[in-house]
Short mmCIF file of all heavy atoms in Angstrom, two decimals:
data_model
loop_
_atom_site.label_atom_id
_atom_site.label_comp_id
_atom_site.label_asym_id
_atom_site.label_seq_id
_atom_site.Cartn_x
_atom_site.Cartn_y
_atom_site.Cartn_z
N ARG A 1 53.43 111.79 97.57
CA ARG A 1 54.21 110.61 96.99
C ARG A 1 55.44 110.47 97.79
O ARG A 1 55.86 109.34 98.06
CB ARG A 1 54.48 110.86 95.52
CG ARG A 1 55.05 109.67 94.75
CD ARG A 1 55.40 109.91 93.41
NE ARG A 1 54.18 110.45 92.61
CZ ARG A 1 54.12 111.62 92.10
NH1 ARG A 1 55.15 112.52 92.29
NH2 ARG A 1 53.05 111.98 91.49
N ARG A 2 56.16 111.58 98.10
CA ARG A 2 57.47 111.47 98.77
C ARG A 2 57.29 110.91 100.18
O ARG A 2 58.11 110.25 100.74
CB ARG A 2 58.17 112.81 98.80
CG ARG A 2 59.51 112.80 99.47
CD ARG A 2 60.29 114.06 99.22
NE ARG A 2 59.52 115.19 99.60
CZ ARG A 2 59.09 116.11 98.69
NH1 ARG A 2 59.21 115.93 97.36
NH2 ARG A 2 58.39 117.13 99.07
N ARG A 3 56.04 111.21 100.87
CA ARG A 3 55.83 110.73 102.19
C ARG A 3 55.58 109.25 102.19
O ARG A 3 56.02 108.53 103.20
CB ARG A 3 54.53 111.39 102.75
CG ARG A 3 54.30 111.04 104.20
CD ARG A 3 53.00 111.70 104.51
NE ARG A 3 51.82 111.10 103.69
CZ ARG A 3 50.53 111.54 103.85
NH1 ARG A 3 50.31 112.51 104.60
NH2 ARG A 3 49.66 110.98 103.13
N HIS A 4 55.19 108.55 101.08
CA HIS A 4 54.96 107.19 101.13
C HIS A 4 56.18 106.35 100.78
O HIS A 4 56.10 105.17 100.62
CB HIS A 4 53.68 106.86 100.23
CG HIS A 4 52.53 107.41 100.73
ND1 HIS A 4 51.88 107.01 101.91
CD2 HIS A 4 51.63 108.36 100.13
CE1 HIS A 4 50.77 107.69 102.03
NE2 HIS A 4 50.58 108.45 101.02
N VAL A 5 57.26 107.04 100.32
CA VAL A 5 58.41 106.23 99.96
C VAL A 5 59.13 105.74 101.17
O VAL A 5 59.49 106.53 102.16
CB VAL A 5 59.51 107.14 99.14
CG1 VAL A 5 60.72 106.42 98.85
CG2 VAL A 5 58.80 107.59 97.89
N PRO A 6 59.37 104.48 101.40
CA PRO A 6 60.08 103.86 102.58
C PRO A 6 61.53 104.35 102.63
O PRO A 6 62.14 104.69 101.68
CB PRO A 6 59.94 102.39 102.35
CG PRO A 6 58.88 102.15 101.35
CD PRO A 6 58.85 103.40 100.47
N ASP A 7 62.01 104.37 103.85
CA ASP A 7 63.35 104.88 104.10
C ASP A 7 64.37 104.06 103.41
O ASP A 7 65.41 104.42 102.99
CB ASP A 7 63.65 105.00 105.59
CG ASP A 7 62.84 106.08 106.24
OD1 ASP A 7 62.36 106.96 105.54
OD2 ASP A 7 62.74 106.08 107.50
N TRP A 8 64.09 102.64 103.39
CA TRP A 8 65.06 101.66 102.76
C TRP A 8 65.25 102.00 101.35
O TRP A 8 66.40 101.67 100.78
CB TRP A 8 64.67 100.26 102.96
CG TRP A 8 63.34 99.83 102.34
CD1 TRP A 8 62.12 99.81 102.81
CD2 TRP A 8 63.26 99.36 101.00
NE1 TRP A 8 61.19 99.43 101.88
CE2 TRP A 8 61.85 99.05 100.74
CE3 TRP A 8 64.24 99.12 99.95
CZ2 TRP A 8 61.43 98.55 99.51
CZ3 TRP A 8 63.77 98.64 98.72
CH2 TRP A 8 62.43 98.32 98.52
N VAL A 9 64.29 102.62 100.62
CA VAL A 9 64.46 102.90 99.20
C VAL A 9 65.48 103.98 99.01
O VAL A 9 66.35 103.91 98.15
CB VAL A 9 63.06 103.41 98.64
CG1 VAL A 9 63.20 103.85 97.26
CG2 VAL A 9 62.07 102.23 98.76
N TRP A 10 65.48 104.95 99.91
CA TRP A 10 66.53 106.02 99.82
C TRP A 10 67.86 105.52 100.19
O TRP A 10 68.86 105.87 99.64
CB TRP A 10 66.10 107.20 100.77
CG TRP A 10 64.85 107.87 100.46
CD1 TRP A 10 63.64 107.67 101.10
CD2 TRP A 10 64.66 108.70 99.34
NE1 TRP A 10 62.63 108.50 100.63
CE2 TRP A 10 63.31 109.08 99.44
CE3 TRP A 10 65.38 109.14 98.38
CZ2 TRP A 10 62.61 110.00 98.57
CZ3 TRP A 10 64.75 110.05 97.46
CH2 TRP A 10 63.50 110.45 97.54
N SER A 11 67.91 104.59 101.20
CA SER A 11 69.21 103.90 101.51
C SER A 11 69.81 103.08 100.28
O SER A 11 71.03 103.27 99.95
CB SER A 11 69.04 102.96 102.62
OG SER A 11 68.61 103.72 103.80
N VAL A 12 68.94 102.38 99.65
CA VAL A 12 69.41 101.60 98.57
C VAL A 12 69.85 102.51 97.33
O VAL A 12 70.78 102.20 96.69
CB VAL A 12 68.26 100.60 98.05
CG1 VAL A 12 68.71 99.89 96.81
CG2 VAL A 12 68.05 99.49 99.20
N THR A 13 69.04 103.52 97.12
CA THR A 13 69.39 104.48 96.11
C THR A 13 70.73 105.16 96.34
O THR A 13 71.42 105.31 95.36
CB THR A 13 68.25 105.56 95.99
OG1 THR A 13 66.97 104.93 95.76
CG2 THR A 13 68.52 106.52 94.88
N SER A 14 71.00 105.54 97.58
CA SER A 14 72.40 106.15 97.82
C SER A 14 73.49 105.24 97.59
O SER A 14 74.44 105.62 97.06
CB SER A 14 72.33 106.70 99.22
OG SER A 14 72.25 105.63 100.24
N ILE A 15 73.30 103.98 97.97
CA ILE A 15 74.34 102.95 97.75
C ILE A 15 74.54 102.67 96.30
O ILE A 15 75.57 102.56 95.82
CB ILE A 15 73.94 101.67 98.56
CG1 ILE A 15 74.02 101.86 100.02
CG2 ILE A 15 75.00 100.47 98.08
CD1 ILE A 15 73.52 100.66 100.83
N ALA A 16 73.42 102.62 95.60
CA ALA A 16 73.52 102.39 94.11
C ALA A 16 74.13 103.56 93.46
O ALA A 16 74.96 103.35 92.51
CB ALA A 16 72.02 102.12 93.48
N ALA A 17 73.90 104.78 93.94
CA ALA A 17 74.56 105.92 93.27
C ALA A 17 76.03 105.99 93.52
O ALA A 17 76.86 106.29 92.67
CB ALA A 17 73.81 107.18 93.79
N LEU A 18 76.44 105.46 94.76
CA LEU A 18 77.82 105.42 95.09
C LEU A 18 78.55 104.38 94.23
O LEU A 18 79.64 104.63 93.67
CB LEU A 18 78.04 105.11 96.52
CG LEU A 18 79.45 105.04 97.11
CD1 LEU A 18 80.19 106.35 96.96
CD2 LEU A 18 79.44 104.63 98.56
N LEU A 19 77.89 103.25 93.99
CA LEU A 19 78.47 102.18 93.14
C LEU A 19 78.64 102.69 91.66
O LEU A 19 79.53 102.45 91.08
CB LEU A 19 77.66 100.91 93.29
CG LEU A 19 77.71 100.19 94.55
CD1 LEU A 19 76.82 98.99 94.60
CD2 LEU A 19 79.12 99.67 94.90
N ALA A 20 77.58 103.39 91.23
CA ALA A 20 77.69 103.89 89.92
C ALA A 20 78.80 104.92 89.77
O ALA A 20 79.51 104.95 88.73
CB ALA A 20 76.27 104.62 89.53
N LEU A 21 78.94 105.79 90.73
CA LEU A 21 80.07 106.67 90.74
C LEU A 21 81.44 105.98 90.65
O LEU A 21 82.34 106.38 89.96
CB LEU A 21 79.89 107.65 91.91
CG LEU A 21 81.01 108.73 91.98
CD1 LEU A 21 81.05 109.72 90.86
CD2 LEU A 21 80.88 109.51 93.35
N TRP A 22 81.53 105.00 91.44
CA TRP A 22 82.79 104.14 91.51
C TRP A 22 83.00 103.56 90.13
O TRP A 22 84.12 103.56 89.64
CB TRP A 22 82.53 103.05 92.58
CG TRP A 22 83.71 102.22 92.92
CD1 TRP A 22 85.07 102.41 92.36
CD2 TRP A 22 83.85 101.13 93.69
NE1 TRP A 22 85.85 101.52 92.82
CE2 TRP A 22 85.22 100.64 93.64
CE3 TRP A 22 82.94 100.42 94.46
CZ2 TRP A 22 85.56 99.54 94.35
CZ3 TRP A 22 83.27 99.26 95.13
CH2 TRP A 22 84.65 98.85 95.10
N PHE A 23 81.97 102.92 89.54
CA PHE A 23 82.07 102.43 88.17
C PHE A 23 82.61 103.47 87.26
O PHE A 23 83.40 103.26 86.41
CB PHE A 23 80.87 101.74 87.77
CG PHE A 23 80.78 100.31 88.11
CD1 PHE A 23 79.89 99.87 89.15
CD2 PHE A 23 81.42 99.26 87.40
CE1 PHE A 23 79.82 98.52 89.60
CE2 PHE A 23 81.25 97.94 87.79
CZ PHE A 23 80.44 97.62 88.85
N GLY A 24 81.85 104.65 87.24
CA GLY A 24 82.26 105.72 86.26
C GLY A 24 83.67 106.23 86.44
O GLY A 24 84.34 106.36 85.48
N VAL A 25 84.15 106.32 87.70
CA VAL A 25 85.50 106.78 87.90
C VAL A 25 86.48 105.86 87.45
O VAL A 25 87.53 106.22 86.76
CB VAL A 25 85.71 107.24 89.33
CG1 VAL A 25 87.15 107.50 89.68
CG2 VAL A 25 84.86 108.32 89.73
N THR A 26 86.26 104.56 87.76
CA THR A 26 87.27 103.53 87.26
C THR A 26 87.19 103.32 85.74
O THR A 26 88.27 103.05 85.20
CB THR A 26 87.05 102.21 88.00
OG1 THR A 26 85.67 101.89 87.79
CG2 THR A 26 87.25 102.33 89.45
N ARG A 27 86.10 103.50 85.20
CA ARG A 27 86.00 103.29 83.73
C ARG A 27 86.57 104.53 82.99
O ARG A 27 87.10 104.41 81.85
CB ARG A 27 84.57 103.06 83.35
CG ARG A 27 84.00 101.75 83.74
CD ARG A 27 84.63 100.63 83.01
NE ARG A 27 83.99 99.37 83.34
CZ ARG A 27 84.27 98.59 84.26
NH1 ARG A 27 85.17 98.91 85.18
NH2 ARG A 27 83.58 97.42 84.44
N SER A 28 86.45 105.73 83.58
CA SER A 28 86.85 106.87 82.83
C SER A 28 88.43 107.04 82.85
O SER A 28 88.90 107.80 82.00
CB SER A 28 86.23 108.16 83.44
OG SER A 28 86.67 108.29 84.83
N GLY A 29 89.12 106.37 83.76
CA GLY A 29 90.53 106.40 83.85
C GLY A 29 90.99 107.70 84.52
O GLY A 29 92.21 108.08 84.54
N LEU A 30 90.13 108.32 85.26
CA LEU A 30 90.51 109.55 86.10
C LEU A 30 91.54 109.21 87.19
O LEU A 30 92.37 109.96 87.56
CB LEU A 30 89.30 110.26 86.68
CG LEU A 30 88.23 110.94 85.68
CD1 LEU A 30 87.10 111.45 86.43
CD2 LEU A 30 88.97 111.94 84.87
N VAL A 31 91.40 107.91 87.68
CA VAL A 31 92.28 107.42 88.74
C VAL A 31 92.92 106.19 88.29
O VAL A 31 92.14 105.33 87.71
CB VAL A 31 91.54 107.23 90.09
CG1 VAL A 31 92.43 106.73 91.11
CG2 VAL A 31 90.78 108.50 90.60
N LYS A 32 94.21 105.96 88.49
CA LYS A 32 94.85 104.81 88.08
C LYS A 32 94.39 103.58 88.80
O LYS A 32 94.01 103.64 89.96
CB LYS A 32 96.32 104.94 88.23
CG LYS A 32 96.94 106.02 87.41
CD LYS A 32 98.52 106.06 87.59
CE LYS A 32 99.19 107.21 86.75
NZ LYS A 32 100.59 107.24 87.01
N PRO A 33 94.28 102.44 88.11
CA PRO A 33 93.72 101.23 88.75
C PRO A 33 94.59 100.84 89.99
O PRO A 33 94.06 100.16 90.93
CB PRO A 33 93.80 100.15 87.68
CG PRO A 33 93.78 100.93 86.41
CD PRO A 33 94.52 102.19 86.66
N GLY A 34 95.87 101.16 90.01
CA GLY A 34 96.67 100.81 91.16
C GLY A 34 96.21 101.60 92.48
O GLY A 34 96.66 101.04 93.57
N TYR A 35 95.58 102.66 92.24
CA TYR A 35 95.16 103.49 93.40
C TYR A 35 93.72 103.29 93.76
O TYR A 35 93.34 103.36 94.95
CB TYR A 35 95.44 104.92 93.14
CG TYR A 35 96.91 105.26 93.04
CD1 TYR A 35 97.56 105.42 91.77
CD2 TYR A 35 97.67 105.56 94.18
CE1 TYR A 35 98.92 105.64 91.64
CE2 TYR A 35 99.00 105.85 94.11
CZ TYR A 35 99.66 105.90 92.83
OH TYR A 35 101.00 106.18 92.76
N LEU A 36 92.84 103.07 92.73
CA LEU A 36 91.45 102.80 93.01
C LEU A 36 91.04 101.64 92.15
O LEU A 36 90.74 101.80 90.92
CB LEU A 36 90.60 104.01 92.69
CG LEU A 36 89.13 103.81 92.93
CD1 LEU A 36 88.85 103.55 94.39
CD2 LEU A 36 88.32 105.06 92.47
N PRO A 37 91.07 100.42 92.69
CA PRO A 37 90.64 99.20 91.86
C PRO A 37 89.20 99.26 91.42
O PRO A 37 88.38 99.84 92.15
CB PRO A 37 91.06 98.08 92.78
CG PRO A 37 91.81 98.60 93.89
CD PRO A 37 91.48 100.03 93.99
N ALA A 38 88.92 98.62 90.28
CA ALA A 38 87.57 98.51 89.94
C ALA A 38 86.86 97.50 90.79
O ALA A 38 87.42 96.66 91.36
CB ALA A 38 87.56 98.08 88.44
N PRO A 39 85.46 97.67 90.82
CA PRO A 39 84.74 96.66 91.69
C PRO A 39 84.92 95.26 91.37
O PRO A 39 85.07 94.37 92.19
CB PRO A 39 83.36 97.14 91.42
CG PRO A 39 83.28 98.55 91.03
CD PRO A 39 84.66 98.70 90.29
N GLU A 40 85.02 94.97 89.99
CA GLU A 40 85.20 93.50 89.65
C GLU A 40 86.57 93.03 90.03
O GLU A 40 86.78 91.82 90.32
CB GLU A 40 85.07 93.34 88.07
CG GLU A 40 85.98 94.17 87.22
CD GLU A 40 85.39 95.52 86.92
OE1 GLU A 40 84.52 95.95 87.62
OE2 GLU A 40 85.87 96.15 85.88
N THR A 41 87.56 93.94 90.01
CA THR A 41 88.94 93.50 90.56
C THR A 41 88.93 93.12 92.09
O THR A 41 89.45 92.16 92.53
CB THR A 41 89.90 94.68 90.36
OG1 THR A 41 89.92 95.05 88.97
CG2 THR A 41 91.37 94.32 90.80
#
């Protein structure tokens, strides 16, 4: 099953994981908005 997964699927997954991490960090308040703006900002 892993052999039949196209490479672009893994690329999109990594980008989506990075965006999810970005959303999570900005929503949790670990970093102030002045230093790491939220994606919608």
